[in-house]
Amino acid sequence: MHLPLATYRLQFNPQFTFKHAKAIVPYLAELGIPYLYASPIFKARSGSTHGYDVADPTQLNPELGGAEQFEDLTAKLQDHQIKWLQDIVPNHMAFDSQNQMLMDVLENGSDSQYKNYFDIQWDHPYEGIRGKVLAPFLGKFYGDCLESGELQLQYDEQGFSVNYYDLKFPIRIESYTAVLAYNLGQLRQTLGRKHPDFVKFLGVLYGLKYIPSGEEGSERYDQIAFIKSMLWELWNDNADIHAFIATNIKLFNGQVGIPESFNRLEELLSDQFFRLAFWKVGNEELNYRRFFTVNDLISLRIEDPDVFQSTHQLIFELIEAGKIHGLRIDHIDGLFDPSTYLFRLRDRANHTYLTIEKILETHEELPLNWPIQGTTGYDFLNLVNGIFCQQENEQTLTDIYHRFIGASIDCDRLIDEKKRLIISKHLAGDIDNLAHFLKQVSIRYRYASDFTLYGLKSALVEVMALFPVYRTYINNDDISSSDRNHITQVIQQAKENIPVFLNELTFIEKFLLLEFDDYLSDEEQQQWLLFVMRLQQFTGPLMAKGIEDTVLYIYNRLTSLNEVGSNPLYFGVSLEEFHQKNHLKCANWPHTMNATATHDTKRGEDVRSRINVLSEIPDEWDAQLRKWQALNAAQKICLPETGLDVPDTNDEYFLYQTLIGTFPFTDTDHDEFVERIKEYTVKAIREAKVYTAWLKPDTGYEDGFTQFAERILKPSPKNDFLTEFRVFQRKIQHYGVFNSLSQVLLKMTAPGVPDIYQGTELWDLSLVDPDNRRPVDYKLRTKYLRAIKKAWDKDPLDLLKTLLEKPEDGRVKLFLIYQLLQARRQFVEVFQRGDYQKLTVIGSLQDHVVAFTRTWGNHTAIAIAPRFFTSIVSDTELPLGEQVWHETRLSLPPGSPSHWCDLISGQTLNSQDALFLRDTLAHFPVALLVNSVDDVNSETDVVTSRHGQPSS
């Protein structure tokens, strides 16, 4: 297996194709990137900006350049020795007419060759969707859409379909007769019964009577294809038949203002394998599993071996051809049986690097028996971000937050409240299906036959609302101790919360722990297991929608901590915890990914680095807030219908932190920045679901908020807020630079594979998507990189001085990433296999330094990353040299080398038992030391500068 030294994530879309990626390969190679990490590249819905709405996993996306441009790109990568890590989507596909497999299901129902591909409940208890697939895509009620003429019967070479704007739903072949035979006498009279084309037309009608059903093989499909081709030929070759069919289509489509004229179309629709419905129906009545709460992403039954093979065939071909060398598995928690899937995948891709998108709660561990290399790195993101939050100020920050908003928020209660909101408003249909399933199974169990659907559903809702992790992983194997503990704790709490349903909860606990009674048959035991494995697929979406997409937009105490996979109850991370988790990761998951920014993160990595500074200066933050609140009070808009001042204080608090984190280094493109903020605020408050929401937007509140943002950001001599704000923001910006550099060092040197999200080699001041998927200027980055290399060759220390004096262009971050990528290439074993040991820091500033070693064989690397800069330097000073670090030093273990080289600054250092930071950090805010050639065996490579010259 080839293990990545580092990865670089690219977001492919129609505006950034394989051709565009090919153009930047030389830059990536020059930067030192060994692995391109690609967003989904298989055929997606037309115009997809992300690729997760896969329409056909058996072909490469033609909008990205298709197979030809993909071959050109991979050949270019091979020329530069860059390998490929591919993001794949096994959980779901697009619910769209471009998804031909799904369209086949909608057209053929149980006779479809793809009937087992999608996670559809055909035997739903509600008669209206039993034997059909709910299609909740209408913008208003079905009857209104029907009688307004928005549902249109149409005909083309593929056959008859009912179209709703750009959505197209195929009519089952058995229904064609209703359209084609209507008023047949008129066609007979026009053509005459012996006309060859009329005879052919009758042949079509005759064939429609005898369509094979339930047949194995291709007979049904052959006959359908024959009928469709004959009909299409008649449509094109005979004007009378064309006019006849067109007239019937017009008749079926009805006439607006005459309700009864739509009866024929309604009757036709009632005969289909789909049921069109208002989009909100999908939240309350649903018979297919979605991705989270997204109606137009339908889930796959990837646990079926045939589905697995079919949807992964092209992936395996690309792996075998040496085009793909690693896989990133999207949304592993959505799968019916993640463990079995991963073992099956490992069996087919035995020597492939595998990493999974998995959210781990703070004290949750990844199953050690999974045949993977680790996660995509959200656990590391929150770990490393947390150490830049000053924990001792938690209560002060909490008090400041509550004072500003004029209320006290109990975060535990908020989480519970919002999870229940998601259950009732967004997952009601899914929970209802689970409750019906549980009721159906319980009838066979003598001790539960009297349980009502209401009681079972109430107990089920309580269990799901209390669940503390994304999911358990119970299957046919033994239940893990962690899964067992989660279940017993949840049931115990549920019994305390709703004692009236004690019996139902006891019953559910037996279910979840698979405690079968002896008299249950094998079939009944399998039904128990099936229910448990079904339930496990829905706790994850509840966590994601309830916490990540709701609570994290409401609880704004310190928004840098509100990130994917974070727990808002935790205020930062201690150094001890940071070291402990890295030590465990080194032992168990040394090749997991270390991310600090992804396509899904809510704030750019450097936005969080800035906002974290507020945790160090709570009193100053409080003073600024009071001042800004007073200055901007007149800029608020009062909604006449509610009397509410917009934004409310919580949203105002949220906005100030957002501006601190994202405000550009320079005032260029200010108008563009304001528009970005306005777009972001609308998305954020809709996610919060307090005054407005995606389901029911309140444009009054939204407009009021965006106008407030626009007013307070308007450059004007009269805008005292902007003047005051910029002074404070520049101060935070200054310290944020050093937080960011320390974060880069830790990501690149801690156990794991560092991942760089596209463009973040310069400052990443982006917000949640789509803001973080804006085009990247690679010409500028190439220009900067080459200038940095040239300046390094001329005078390294002068380069460092220049970069630190002018950090606004981001070159200092690019320089650091470049140096560290070269270091990882030079000392591969140290960073891929080396052990991890924290170092003891001695001196008055010991709490301000994160330091550890990575050792393999004769080589030792020491990473040194300072933090909490506000109390050690002013906002005009650099954290360098003796005037800052004084006597603070690293205590080195006995027997440590005495000569060191800093792979960032190029300087050499001598030490006995300690390294003084005044010397180590004399020229750059962070350091990566390796033992010099004098202390290793003669075969060891000479430590060089980045361009082959010995360091000095």
Side-chain angles (χ1 to χ4, degrees):
M1 181 186 298
H2 188 280
L3 298 167
L5 263 173
T7 60
Y8 190 97
R9 171 77 176 203
L10 288 179
Q11 291 296 116
F12 286 104
N13 58 66
Q15 283 69 52
F16 187 85
T17 65
F18 297 143
K19 185 176 180 179
H20 293 99
K22 179 183 175 183
I24 68 168
V25 168
Y27 162 74
L28 296 179
E30 194 170 354
L31 183 60
I33 299 296
Y35 258 77
L36 185 153
Y37 169 21
S39 65
I41 60 170
F42 303 102
K43 185 178 179 181
R45 186 165 25 209
S46 180
S48 173
T49 60
H50 48 76
Y52 289 97
D53 45 357
V54 179
D56 185 353
T58 67
Q59 64 171 303
L60 295 171
N61 195 340
E63 291 192 332
L64 303 182
E68 183 177 351
Q69 287 191 23
F70 176 76
E71 290 294 327
D72 291 344
L73 171 56
T74 54
K76 187 79 168 181
L77 290 169
Q78 289 172 0
D79 290 343
H80 289 80
Q81 298 182 317
I82 297 177
K83 297 189 180 298
W84 189 292
L85 172 64
Q86 181 58 54
D87 192 347
I88 64 172
V89 192
N91 179 69
H92 55 268
M93 291 177 65
F95 196 136
D96 191 272
S97 57
Q98 297 171 62
N99 181 347
Q100 293 303 309
M101 291 189 293
L102 179 60
M103 292 304 104
D104 192 283
V105 173
L106 298 187
E107 184 174 2
N108 293 288
S110 61
D111 291 316
S112 171
Q113 60 185 320
Y114 303 109
K115 63 183 178 182
N116 294 323
Y117 272 53
F118 300 97
D119 203 344
I120 299 167
Q121 185 181 355
W122 292 102
D123 58 344
H124 198 276
Y126 295 162
E127 184 177 355
I129 51 178
R130 190 181 306 134
K132 301 175 181 288
V133 181
L134 186 72
F137 301 109
L138 303 182
K140 51 189 177 183
F141 287 123
Y142 164 78
D144 293 333
C145 288
L146 180 72
E147 294 183 8
S148 64
E150 294 175 65
L151 302 180
Q152 288 284 304
L153 179 65
Q154 295 184 11
Y155 176 70
D156 58 23
E157 188 174 4
Q158 283 72 47
F160 286 104
S161 63
V162 168
N163 292 20
Y164 177 70
Y165 298 103
D166 59 343
L167 296 177
K168 182 177 180 180
F169 300 91
I171 296 299
R172 61 185 296 197
I173 195 72
E174 290 85 353
S175 295
Y176 280 33
T177 302
V179 181
L180 297 176
Y182 188 81
N183 238 346
L184 184 61
Q186 183 177 349
L187 181 62
R188 182 187 299 112
Q189 185 176 356
T190 301
L191 290 176
R193 74 172 58 244
K194 293 185 178 181
H195 192 288
D197 286 345
F198 183 71
V199 173
K200 286 183 181 180
F201 192 82
L202 290 178
V204 168
L205 292 175
Y206 182 81
L208 289 171
K209 287 184 178 182
Y210 299 101
I211 296 291
S213 178
E215 300 287 337
E216 293 295 328
S218 59
E219 183 179 349
R220 175 182 172 85
Y221 283 94
D222 289 343
Q223 186 158 334
I224 290 174
F226 175 74
I227 290 174
K228 285 185 175 182
S229 64
M230 184 181 291
L231 186 61
W232 182 245
E233 184 178 306
L234 291 169
W235 167 274
N236 286 296
D237 293 348
N238 190 298
D240 291 324
I241 292 177
H242 186 122
F244 171 75
I245 296 174
T247 298
N248 282 359
I249 289 173
K250 184 177 181 181
L251 188 67
F252 270 72
N253 283 332
Q255 186 175 343
V256 176
I258 306 177
E260 60 270 19
S261 68
F262 295 95
N263 291 350
R264 295 181 187 88
L265 182 57
E266 183 177 17
E267 186 176 350
L268 183 72
L269 285 170
S270 69
D271 192 39
Q272 303 312 307
F273 292 119
F274 58 85
R275 179 197 146 197
L276 295 172
F278 184 33
W279 67 273
K280 291 185 180 181
V281 172
N283 289 328
E284 298 178 15
E285 294 181 7
L286 195 67
N287 67 339
Y288 67 90
R289 186 170 59 86
R290 304 168 291 180
F291 169 73
F292 288 178
T293 59
V294 184
N295 287 348
D296 59 4
L297 292 176
I298 184 170
S299 295
L300 288 161
R301 294 184 64 250
I302 207 69
E303 64 273 15
D304 186 308
D306 291 336
V307 180
F308 174 86
Q309 176 59 30
S310 176
T311 57
H312 287 64
Q313 184 58 43
L314 180 55
I315 296 168
F316 296 142
E317 290 174 3
L318 294 173
I319 290 173
E320 291 167 5
K323 308 294 184 183
I324 288 178
H325 310 88
L327 296 176
R328 180 259 198 197
I329 318 303
D330 180 66
H331 189 41
I332 191 70
D333 281 345
L335 306 189
F336 181 71
D337 188 353
S339 177
T340 298
Y341 170 82
L342 291 172
F343 277 101
R344 186 176 288 160
L345 188 65
R346 174 57 73 199
D347 185 58
R348 289 298 306 273
N350 189 32
H351 300 292
T352 303
Y353 175 80
L354 297 181
T355 184
I356 61 171
E357 185 203 30
K358 164 64 186 165
I359 303 301
L360 292 168
E361 294 303 309
T362 307
H363 299 297
E364 185 183 5
E365 297 292 335
L366 197 61
L368 288 172
N369 66 323
W370 283 4
I372 58 174
Q373 276 59 61
T375 72
T376 52
Y378 287 115
D379 44 341
F380 178 82
L381 182 155
N382 287 290
L383 181 69
V384 73
N385 181 67
I387 62 171
F388 295 97
C389 174
Q390 198 146 22
Q391 289 183 294
E392 63 190 51
N393 290 329
E394 176 178 6
Q395 188 58 53
T396 305
L397 261 292
T398 303
D399 293 342
I400 291 170
Y401 174 45
H402 289 164
R403 181 207 60 78
F404 187 91
I405 67 174
S408 179
I409 296 180
D410 183 327
C411 195
D412 269 322
R413 182 177 298 175
L414 181 66
I415 290 172
D416 183 73
E417 174 189 324
K418 297 310 174 184
K419 288 177 74 174
R420 293 176 191 275
L421 172 70
I422 298 300
I423 288 174
S424 64
K425 296 293 186 181
H426 300 265
L427 292 175
D430 300 300
I431 307 300
D432 194 48
N433 291 341
L434 287 170
H436 275 285
F437 187 8
L438 185 58
K439 172 66 174 175
Q440 181 183 358
V441 177
S442 67
I443 290 174
R444 304 185 186 182
Y445 185 62
R446 66 182 61 159
Y447 303 111
S449 59
D450 290 334
F451 291 158
T452 65
L453 180 64
Y454 172 78
L456 290 172
K457 186 173 181 179
S458 299
L460 197 57
V461 165
E462 194 68 25
V463 168
M464 294 185 70
L466 293 173
F467 225 76
V469 293
Y470 262 61
R471 64 167 287 169
T472 51
Y473 299 96
I474 298 168
N475 54 21
N476 283 307
D477 301 326
D478 291 336
I479 300 176
S480 70
S481 58
S482 61
D483 284 350
R484 185 177 295 276
N485 289 337
H486 289 316
I487 291 168
T488 54
Q489 290 171 12
V490 164
I491 295 295
Q492 180 59 40
Q493 184 61 54
K495 288 178 178 178
E496 295 178 14
N497 290 357
I498 51 170
V500 68
F501 297 112
L502 181 65
N503 292 328
E504 287 87 347
L505 288 166
T506 301
F507 172 59
I508 289 176
E509 182 175 25
K510 286 175 67 69
F511 250 74
L512 297 181
L513 296 177
L514 302 181
E515 295 176 349
F516 305 123
D517 288 314
D518 292 338
Y519 67 84
L520 289 177
S521 66
D522 289 343
E523 179 187 354
E524 289 170 333
Q525 292 183 24
Q526 284 302 309
Q527 286 295 301
W528 279 41
L529 178 61
L530 179 58
F531 169 78
V532 173
M533 296 179 72
R534 269 279 182 226
L535 174 63
Q536 291 175 139
Q537 290 179 286
F538 292 99
T539 51
L542 177 56
M543 288 284 283
K545 299 304 295 182
I547 299 177
E548 287 180 19
D549 291 344
T550 305
V551 171
L552 296 188
Y553 286 96
I554 299 175
Y555 190 69
N556 299 318
R557 177 177 59 178
L558 191 67
T559 57
S560 53
L561 302 180
N562 292 6
E563 196 48 84
V564 179
S566 71
N567 187 325
L569 291 168
Y570 290 91
F571 193 84
V573 171
S574 69
L575 275 185
E576 188 60 32
E577 182 181 356
F578 177 79
H579 288 307
Q580 285 177 353
K581 290 199 170 184
N582 276 325
H583 189 76
L584 283 173
K585 187 167 66 168
C586 189
N588 298 329
W589 304 103
H591 310 300
T592 189
M593 295 180 78
N594 290 347
T596 46
T598 77
H599 59 287
D600 279 334
T601 40
K602 299 185 182 301
R603 291 166 185 80
E605 59 186 37
D606 301 314
V607 175
R608 294 193 303 273
S609 290
R610 286 181 177 181
I611 297 174
N612 279 330
V613 176
L614 300 177
S615 71
E616 304 175 42
I617 50 172
D619 293 338
E620 191 172 351
W621 169 233
D622 187 32
Q624 293 295 328
L625 284 170
R626 293 172 186 268
K627 189 184 303 181
W628 298 343
Q629 190 174 34
L631 288 172
N632 291 331
Q635 305 299 338
K636 292 192 174 188
I637 296 170
C638 180
L639 297 180
E641 59 273 18
T642 62
L644 176 68
D645 288 335
V646 181
D648 80 345
T649 50
N650 192 42
D651 287 338
E652 184 181 2
Y653 191 88
F654 168 85
L655 177 61
Y656 292 145
Q657 291 184 76
T658 300
L659 296 178
I660 284 171
T662 58
F663 212 94
F665 281 86
T666 64
D667 291 331
T668 58
D669 299 323
H670 182 77
D671 291 343
E672 178 189 349
F673 171 69
V674 173
E675 288 305 311
R676 287 174 51 216
I677 291 297
K678 289 164 62 178
E679 291 172 7
Y680 170 68
T681 55
V682 171
K683 178 167 185 172
I685 59 178
R686 285 186 179 180
E687 295 285 12
K689 307 171 190 67
V690 176
Y691 298 109
T692 184
W694 298 106
L695 288 177
K696 190 177 181 181
D698 184 328
T699 55
Y701 189 87
E702 293 174 1
D703 292 345
F705 197 173
T706 55
Q707 288 175 35
F708 176 80
E710 190 171 32
R711 288 174 179 177
I712 68 172
L713 291 173
K714 184 177 182 179
S716 167
K718 297 180 180 179
N719 189 350
D720 294 335
F721 162 75
L722 192 57
T723 302
E724 295 276 354
F725 170 79
R726 285 295 275 142
V727 173
F728 182 71
Q729 191 275 330
R730 286 191 181 100
K731 176 177 181 176
I732 300 298
Q733 173 181 289
H734 177 76
Y735 296 118
V737 165
F738 308 124
N739 275 355
S740 292
L741 296 179
S742 288
Q743 180 175 250
V744 167
L745 179 80
L746 295 173
K747 176 172 74 172
M748 302 289 277
T749 57
V753 177
D755 172 43
I756 301 169
Y757 182 67
Q758 61 177 28
T760 60
E761 57 271 37
L762 299 183
W763 299 126
D764 177 19
L765 302 180
S766 59
L767 291 159
V768 73
D769 70 282
D771 193 65
N772 62 7
R773 304 183 192 188
R774 289 172 292 145
V776 177
D777 188 345
Y778 284 106
K779 289 183 179 179
L780 177 65
R781 285 158 175 78
T782 302
K783 174 185 173 183
Y784 280 172
L785 179 59
R786 291 176 179 170
I788 285 169
K789 292 167 67 176
K790 184 176 180 180
W792 174 271
D793 287 337
K794 183 178 180 181
D795 189 338
L797 294 184
D798 184 64
L799 170 65
L800 299 184
K801 182 179 178 182
T802 300
L803 294 176
L804 290 170
E805 286 177 347
K806 298 180 178 180
E808 58 272 9
D809 57 17
R811 289 180 304 148
V812 65
K813 185 182 180 186
L814 175 63
F815 162 80
L816 179 59
I817 289 173
Y818 173 71
Q819 296 289 81
L820 293 172
L821 285 172
Q822 308 314 304
R824 290 184 68 87
R825 282 178 174 267
Q826 189 173 354
F827 298 97
V828 174
E829 299 293 344
V830 170
F831 294 108
Q832 284 198 334
R833 303 174 67 186
D835 71 358
Y836 179 97
Q837 299 294 332
K838 69 175 182 179
L839 282 179
T840 300
V841 184
I842 301 172
S844 57
L845 300 181
Q846 60 182 350
D847 291 336
H848 293 258
V849 182
V850 185
F852 55 82
T853 63
R854 303 294 309 279
T855 301
W856 180 261
N858 293 320
H859 283 302
T860 295
I862 298 177
I864 305 170
R867 61 175 188 161
F868 302 156
F869 295 94
T870 58
S871 57
I872 59 176
V873 292
S874 73
D875 58 353
T876 60
E877 296 176 316
L878 299 176
L880 304 176
E882 184 174 5
Q883 71 273 19
V884 175
W885 295 109
H886 307 296
E887 86 300 350
T888 304
R889 59 200 181 275
L890 304 182
S891 176
L892 300 180
S896 295
S898 57
H899 303 289
W900 301 89
C901 176
D902 182 7
L903 297 182
I904 298 171
S905 69
Q907 68 172 321
T908 56
L909 299 161
N910 297 317
S911 70
Q912 295 301 320
D913 300 322
L915 281 168
F916 281 83
L917 295 188
R918 64 193 180 210
D919 302 321
T920 307
L921 303 179
H923 304 290
F924 202 76
V926 299
L928 178 61
L929 310 181
V930 294
N931 47 320
S932 182
V933 66
D934 297 337
D935 294 303
V936 298
N937 294 334
S938 59
E939 72 263 24
T940 304
D941 293 336
V942 176
V943 176
T944 62
S945 75
R946 303 286 70 78
H947 307 293
Q949 299 299 316
S951 299
S952 58

